[in-house]
Amino acid sequence: MSLIAGTAFAQSPTNIFDPAGTPARSAFGLSMLVLSITLAIFLIVAGLLLYALVRFRHRSTDSNREPAQIYGSNQIELSWTVIPILIVVTLFLTTTRVILGTEAIPKPASAIDVTIIGHQFWWEYRYPKSGVVTANELHVPISDPASPTPTYLTMSSADVSHSFWVPRLAGKMDLIPNRVNTMWIDPEATGLYLGQCAQYCGTQHAKMLLRVYAQSPQDFAAWIEQQNKPAQQEFPGNAAATEGQAVFMKNACINCHTVKGTVATGRFGPDLTHLASRDTIASGPIQNTPENLRKWVEDPNTMKPGSLMPAMHLNDHDLDVITAYLSQLH
Amino acid sequence: MTTTPVLEAIDETLETQGRPPLNVIYEWLTTVDHKKIGLMYIVYALIFLVVGGFEAILMRIQLAIPNNHFVSPQVFNQLFTMHGTTMVFFMGMPILFGVGNYLVPLMIGARDMAFPRLNAFSFWISAFAGMLLYFSYIGGSGLYAAGSAPDVGWFAYAPLTSKVFSPGHSTDYWTLAVFLSGVGSIGTALNIVTTILCMRCKGMKMSRMPLLPWLYLVMAGLVFVAVSPLTAAQIMLTLDRYLGAHFFDTQAGGSAILWMHFFWIFGHPEVYVLVLPAFAFANEIIPVFSRKAMFGYPAMVAASVSIGFISLSVWAHHMFTAGLGPAGNTFFVFATMVISVPTGIKIFNWLATIWGGKIIFAVPMIFMIGFLFQFLIAGLTGIMLSAAPFNWQLSASYFVVAHFHYVLVGAIVFSLFGAFYYWYPKVTGRMMSETLGKWHFWLFLIGFHLTFDFMHVPGILGMPRRIYTYEAGRGWDTLNFIVGVGAIFQAAGTLVLVYNMIHSYYKGKEAGHDPWDAWTLEWSVPSPPPSYNFAIEPTVSSRRPLWDIKHPEDPDADYE
C-alpha cells in the first residue's frame, strides 16, 4: 500500500503534503505532529491487542475451567484516563497556535485584495484596487518573506455554497451566499497551482476547477495592466472577427457576459473581455483552443452537462465568426 | 438449571406450522410483539442495505477510471444522495433499533416494550418513510420534469434545496422521508428509554443492568436531543419552499449557516446514535468469548454516558471551513478532542477484558476483533480531523469519506455482523454455519481494507468528495481502481452472509437455549423465545445471572 501511495504522492499536483505557501505549510507541520502521535498510539494499542489475542487464546490443552474473573481496577482506569487527557491538552494547545497563526494575524499593508464570487459552476475574480475582472484563472504575485505580498481573498457566492481549495497553497474555505468569508494565500514560487471546488454545489460540482497562476511581481503587474485594458474592438484585416463581434452583440450573449467597452455588460456568466488570454474555458476542464471554443458555443452541455449556459442555436457561419471574434480577445 | 420454566400448555407461538399464509401475513402486519417488530426492522433495513450497497457499487464503477461515462452527472449526484440517506436513515437506524427492540426486553427480564402499539407505529412510519424516499424515482419530477430522485447530498446544504436551485419535487420527497423517519425514531427512542427505566425485572438495579441496555439508554436519549432539531428543520425547509418563509433562503436574507447548525447538531450525535449500539454488541460478545466478566463495568457506563453528553457539543467540527472564526473553531477543536478520552477508556477496557481470558475465535468474536482494530484506526483518523488546520485540508475530501466509512463499516457493520452470528441462534433456534461465517469474514475484511484503506490517499492528494468524474494526472487513478475492486469483495462477502442466513434457517444445527455458554437473561429462555418471553418473571442478584446459576460456588454477587 505504501508503495502505491508513494508513487501517487510523487505525481500529484494537488498533494496537501507538498506545501508551497505559509497556511498549507503550517497545516502540514501540525499534521505531521498529529500523525506521529496517532501512529504511536496505534502501535502501542494495536500491539497490546495483538499480543493479548495470541497470548490468551484458548488452547486445546487448556483445562475446561473458566479463567480468573477480574472485575476492574480503579488505579488502572485512572491511568488510562489521565494519560489521554495529557495528550489531548498538548494537541489542543498546538492546534490553537496554528489556528491563531492562520486566522488571527494582522493583514499587511502590502497585501493584494481579490474578491471571489462563486457561481454554478465557475469562479469570478475581481481586483478592487485595479478594477480588473476575470474568471476561473486567478493570477497572484508570489510572496517574498522579506517583503510579503500575500493575497487576501474576500469570498462570497452568487447562488449556492462553494469551497475554494488549492491544496498546495492553503486549506479550504467555503463561499457562502449572503455571507462574507476571508482567507489568504502566499505562494512561495512561481507556477500553476491546481485545485477545485470542494463543496457540493450541483450538477457540475466536479468540473468547477481552480487554477492559480503565481507570478513574479513584474509579471503580475504586467498582467494587471494588460487585463485593465478595454476589449479590442477593431480587427483590421480580420473580417470574420469583425462580423463575429456584430453577431455577438446582436445575440443574447450580452445578457450574461461582459466585454468591457462594448454594450455587453451581463454579469451572470464569466467576463469575456480578455478571454483569449486564458488557457482554459468552462472553469478549467477544457483547453482554450478555437475548436473547443466553437464546440462550446454550439452547445455547452455536450462538453459539460449541466452547465447553465444554453445552446444558442447559431448556424455554422455564425459559430465560425463568433469563434474568430472570441479568439481575438487577448 | 439454566432455564426458567416454560408453560408450553398456553404457548400459542408453537403452533405456527401449517396455517394459511394470509393468517401469517395478517399476524405480522398487526403484531405488537417486540420480537416480531424487531425482526421486521432488521429485514427492512437489510433490504435497504442491499439497495444502498448497489448504489455504492454503481458509483465505484463510475469512478474506477478517469473521465468515465458510465453514468451521467445527474444520476451520480442522485446516487450519492440516495446512498447516504438510505444508509443512515433507512439502514443504520432501523437495524440498530431492530436489534435493540428484540434484545432489550429479553435482557432486562421484561415481557415486551413499554408501549407495544407505539412500537408498531414507529416501525410502520419509518417503513413508509423509506418507501416514500424511493417513490421519488417515480413521482419526484412533478410538473417541472426536473430530475427524479433527490440530488442535494445527504446533508442537503441550503440554499441548494431552495425552490430556485431544486425545482420539482425530488427535495420534497427527501424532506418528507427524513421527517417521517425522525418521527419513527423519536417514538422508538421514547419506548426504549421507558422500557429500560420502568420494566426491569426484580433485583435488576441500574448498576446490575447489562451494558447493552445501558448503551441503548444513552443512544435513545441522544435521539431525543439530536433528531428533534433535524425534524424541525425539515418543517422549516418545507415552509421555505412552499409558504415563502426565509429561514434558509439566502436570496431573501436567510442563512445557509443556520441549516448547517441544524443539520450537524443532529448529524454528529447521530454518529454516536449509530456507534453506541455497536459498542453495546461488543460489550456482550467480547466477554463471553474471552470467558471473563467485563473489565471496569462502572467505567464503561460512565464513559458511555459522558460520550453521550460530549457528543452534543462537537457538531461544528463539520463546519471548520464555513468561516466560524478562531474562537468558534478553537472551542470545537477542544470538545472534539476531549471525546477521544471516554472513547479510549472503552477500548482499554475491552483490551483488559481480553487480557487473561481464554479467547475462543468463533465467528462472532472474529468480527469483534475486526471491530476493535478498525474502530481504533477510525478514532485516530478522527483525531487528525479534529485538528482544525489539518481539517481545512481534509474536510470534504475523500479522506473524510474514508474516515466515516471506517466508523460506519469498519466498526458498526463489523460489530453488527458479529451480533448477527451471536444472536441468530436465539432468534431462529438454529446455528449459522461457522465455515461460511469465516468465508464471509475474510471476504468482507479484505474488501473493506482494499476499499477504505486506499480511499484515504486520494483525499490527501486533493480529491474532493461528490465528484462524478476526474481528470487523469492527479495521482488518483490507480487508487480509485483499487477502491472499486474492494467493493466487489465486500459485495461477495455480503452474499455469503445472506446465503448463510437463509440456508441455516432451514438446515442449521439446533441451537438449544444457550449455545455460547453465555451469562445474560436472553439465554435462559428457549430459542426462539416464546411470545411472552419469560413464563415467570426472573429475579437477578448480579450482572451475570446465568453465571451465578452455573457457578453457585463463586457467584458474581459476591464481588459487585
Side-chain angles (χ1 to χ4, degrees):
Chain A
M1 174 176 175
S2 53
L3 186 77
I4 292 163
T7 28
F9 279 131
Q11 283 169 356
S12 178
T14 45
N15 181 359
I16 68 169
F17 291 155
D18 183 17
T22 309
R25 195 170 294 287
S26 58
F28 172 68
L30 177 68
S31 49
M32 287 300 121
L33 174 76
V34 178
L35 277 172
S36 21
I37 291 177
T38 48
L39 185 67
I41 297 174
F42 175 76
L43 290 178
I44 293 168
V45 179
L48 285 171
L49 208 53
L50 211 56
Y51 172 78
L53 289 172
V54 175
R55 168 79 180 73
F56 300 110
R57 69 187 188 278
H58 181 85
R59 295 175 173 86
S60 50
T61 53
D62 278 356
S63 68
N64 278 331
R65 287 177 55 101
E66 301 279 22
Q69 301 294 306
I70 297 156
Y71 297 88
S73 149
N74 286 340
Q75 287 86 344
I76 295 178
E77 297 286 348
L78 196 67
S79 68
W80 63 45
T81 308
V82 171
I83 295 170
I85 288 178
L86 294 177
I87 297 174
V88 161
V89 169
T90 315
L91 263 180
F92 167 68
L93 292 176
T94 323
T95 305
T96 307
R97 207 175 62 172
V98 181
I99 293 177
L100 297 180
T102 308
E103 287 198 320
I105 54 165
K107 174 178 163 181
S110 53
I112 313 293
D113 282 304
V114 181
T115 302
I116 307 187
I117 302 162
H119 294 261
Q120 281 181 323
F121 306 96
W122 61 281
W123 309 90
E124 178 181 353
Y125 301 118
R126 308 179 79 88
Y127 295 72
K129 275 182 198 146
S130 57
V132 167
V133 178
T134 184
N136 299 329
E137 295 180 356
L138 177 64
H139 289 248
V140 298
I142 55 166
S143 182
D144 177 4
S147 59
T149 49
T151 304
Y152 271 69
L153 309 174
T154 306
M155 327 172 88
S156 194
S157 169
D159 37 50
V160 301
S161 293
H162 305 274
S163 194
F164 183 92
W165 187 27
V166 182
R168 292 190 61 205
L169 296 182
K172 59 186 74 63
M173 177 62 85
D174 295 353
L175 294 82
I176 300 171
N178 199 17
R179 181 185 173 89
V180 175
N181 280 333
T182 53
M183 67 177 283
W184 55 278
I185 51 175
D186 62 343
E188 290 159 356
T190 57
L192 171 63
Y193 297 93
L194 297 179
Q196 68 191 85
C197 177
Q199 183 64 267
Y200 175 63
C201 56
T203 311
Q204 271 300 348
H205 166 57
K207 290 191 177 170
M208 191 168 162
L209 308 185
L210 280 158
R211 300 168 70 86
V212 177
Y213 293 75
Q215 296 173 303
S216 68
Q218 300 77 21
D219 287 353
F220 178 70
W223 180 82
I224 285 281
E225 196 192 331
Q226 187 265 332
Q227 295 286 311
N228 232 347
K229 292 181 187 145
Q232 188 179 347
Q233 293 193 51
E234 303 294 328
F235 304 96
N238 189 340
T242 312
E243 192 190 345
Q245 178 169 238
V247 175
F248 184 92
M249 297 304 161
K250 272 189 290 192
N251 269 290
C253 313
I254 59 170
N255 295 343
C256 294
H257 293 287
T258 293
V259 179
K260 216 190 304 178
T262 73
V263 294
T265 53
R267 277 197 59 189
F268 194 73
D271 188 303
L272 301 181
T273 310
H274 298 286
L275 175 67
S277 72
R278 303 206 277 263
D279 291 336
T280 59
I281 57 172
S283 199
I286 303 165
Q287 290 301 311
N288 188 4
T289 62
E291 300 77 50
N292 284 339
L293 204 52
R294 187 182 190 283
K295 212 171 144 199
W296 174 262
V297 176
E298 186 178 8
D299 185 1
N301 273 275
T302 57
M303 307 183 91
K304 191 173 170 183
S307 160
L308 297 187
M309 174 169 159
M312 298 307 297
H313 302 292
L314 300 169
N315 60 37
D316 277 351
H317 175 72
D318 285 356
L319 281 173
D320 287 339
V321 294
I322 282 202
T323 308
Y325 167 58
L326 294 176
S327 307
Q328 291 302 314
L329 293 176
H330 293 292
Chain B
M1 233 282 300
T2 60
T3 60
T4 58
V6 178
L7 305 182
E8 266 138 12
I10 60 159
D11 192 351
E12 293 171 35
T13 54
L14 294 178
E15 299 171 28
T16 47
Q17 301 288 313
R19 287 185 304 150
L22 270 181
N23 284 16
V24 178
I25 293 170
Y26 180 78
E27 185 193 318
W28 280 86
L29 287 179
T30 57
T31 186
V32 292
D33 176 8
H34 72 99
K35 295 183 292 298
K36 285 204 169 74
I37 292 173
L39 289 179
M40 287 196 291
Y41 258 126
I42 292 169
V43 171
Y44 155 85
L46 285 177
I47 294 169
F48 280 107
L49 174 70
V50 171
V51 174
F54 181 66
E55 288 160 351
I57 286 178
L58 294 182
M59 287 191 281
R60 289 325 313 182
I61 294 173
Q62 166 68 15
L63 292 175
I65 51 169
N67 289 316
N68 199 358
H69 293 287
F70 178 66
V71 293
S72 70
Q74 289 88 348
V75 168
F76 188 86
N77 296 346
Q78 290 167 355
L79 283 175
F80 68 67
T81 305
M82 294 296 269
H83 171 77
T85 309
T86 303
M87 289 303 203
V88 171
F89 294 100
F90 302 109
M91 187 276 166
M93 301 258 270
I95 208 160
L96 299 170
F97 279 146
V99 178
N101 239 306
Y102 197 99
L103 290 176
V104 165
L106 282 168
M107 292 183 84
I108 63 172
R111 285 186 172 158
D112 205 324
M113 299 286 275
F115 308 114
R117 280 163 184 274
L118 175 66
N119 204 10
F121 170 78
S122 302
F123 166 71
W124 287 108
I125 199 92
S126 304
F128 177 62
M131 290 176 222
L132 199 60
L133 182 71
Y134 277 86
F135 184 72
S136 65
Y137 270 111
I138 305 165
S141 53
L143 295 173
Y144 298 86
S148 54
D151 61 353
V152 288
W154 89 275
F155 42 80
Y157 267 7
L160 199 57
T161 47
S162 70
K163 208 72 183 150
V164 189
F165 301 110
S166 198
H169 295 305
S170 59
T171 300
D172 301 318
Y173 279 94
W174 182 85
T175 303
L176 278 174
V178 172
F179 171 78
L180 291 178
S181 129
V183 172
S185 302
I186 291 169
T188 296
L190 183 75
N191 223 334
I192 290 174
V193 169
T194 317
T195 307
I196 291 171
L197 292 182
C198 304
M199 299 190 55
R200 299 190 309 281
C201 66
K202 283 188 216 119
M204 189 176 282
K205 301 185 287 190
M206 288 302 271
S207 58
R208 278 186 196 153
M209 193 162 71
L211 283 169
L212 183 139
W214 255 116
L215 280 150
Y216 267 87
L217 180 65
V218 178
M219 175 263 214
L222 274 181
V223 167
F224 290 148
V225 189
V227 174
S228 310
L230 180 73
T231 310
Q234 303 304 335
I235 297 172
M236 293 158 78
L237 178 58
T238 306
L239 293 179
D240 267 16
R241 284 174 62 87
Y242 288 99
L243 299 177
H246 303 308
F247 296 106
F248 313 118
D249 179 3
T250 49
Q251 311 268 326
S255 168
I257 296 269
L258 180 66
W259 174 270
M260 296 185 194
H261 282 299
F262 268 114
F263 192 88
W264 292 120
I265 188 71
F266 152 78
H268 203 84
E270 170 68 10
V271 177
Y272 289 91
V273 166
L274 297 174
V275 84
L276 289 173
F279 295 165
F281 309 147
N283 286 336
E284 299 304 325
I285 294 170
I286 290 173
V288 168
F289 290 94
S290 307
R291 308 308 307 159
K292 274 180 70 209
M294 188 72 222
F295 187 93
Y297 172 97
M300 284 302 252
V301 172
S304 309
V305 175
S306 55
I307 285 177
F309 279 106
I310 301 170
S311 75
L312 294 172
S313 63
V314 301
W315 78 90
H317 67 218
H318 294 265
M319 299 160 62
F320 280 147
T321 63
L324 298 180
N329 285 342
T330 311
F331 172 81
F332 285 102
V333 166
F334 185 70
T336 306
M337 285 181 172
V338 161
I339 210 164
S340 64
V341 176
T343 314
I345 291 174
K346 284 184 164 294
I347 290 184
F348 293 131
N349 275 309
W350 286 320
L351 176 59
T353 304
I354 291 170
W355 202 273
K358 288 184 178 174
I359 305 160
I360 301 161
F361 293 96
V363 176
M365 186 60 176
I366 56 178
F367 272 101
M368 283 307 155
I369 293 166
F371 158 82
L372 284 175
F373 280 102
Q374 285 145 204
F375 182 64
L376 173 65
I377 296 172
L380 294 174
T381 54
I383 293 178
M384 297 174 200
L385 285 162
S386 74
F390 201 2
N391 183 290
W392 294 332
Q393 288 284 19
L394 296 176
S395 85
S397 78
Y398 261 93
F399 189 92
V400 170
V401 180
H403 160 74
F404 69 71
H405 280 91
Y406 239 88
V407 179
L408 294 168
V409 182
I412 299 172
V413 171
F414 269 75
S415 175
L416 189 70
F417 283 157
F420 276 5
Y421 287 93
Y422 183 64
W423 279 293
Y424 185 92
K426 177 51 57 188
V427 174
T428 63
R430 292 183 185 265
M431 305 297 288
M432 284 172 84
S433 155
E434 282 277 308
T435 316
L436 287 176
K438 283 180 177 154
W439 270 99
H440 171 209
F441 173 76
W442 287 109
L443 281 171
F444 205 79
L445 188 84
I446 292 167
F448 170 80
H449 285 282
L450 281 178
T451 298
F452 296 111
D453 293 5
F454 287 96
M455 195 186 274
H456 288 87
V457 187
I460 291 168
L461 301 181
M463 180 172 176
R465 63 195 289 199
R466 298 176 165 180
I467 55 172
Y468 74 94
T469 192
Y470 52 92
E471 294 173 325
R474 302 285 288 269
W476 306 340
D477 323 10
T478 318
L479 294 160
N480 274 298
F481 187 78
I482 298 170
V483 167
V485 172
I488 296 165
F489 277 87
Q490 291 182 64
T494 310
L495 287 180
V496 175
L497 167 73
V498 171
Y499 175 78
N500 196 355
M501 288 174 83
I502 296 171
H503 183 78
S504 303
Y505 183 79
Y506 297 105
K507 298 277 162 70
K509 202 167 67 175
E510 294 278 347
H513 290 197
D514 184 14
W516 308 116
D517 192 7
W519 304 310
T520 38
L521 281 178
E522 77 271 31
W523 302 107
S524 71
V525 299
S527 311
S531 64
Y532 47 81
N533 295 354
F534 301 93
I536 295 167
E537 191 193 354
T539 305
V540 301
S541 49
S542 80
R543 289 170 203 145
R544 295 192 297 170
L546 300 203
W547 170 276
D548 293 354
I549 294 172
K550 291 168 187 171
H551 301 271
E553 76 292 350
D554 186 29
D556 266 7
D558 294 355
Y559 302 97
E560 283 172 8

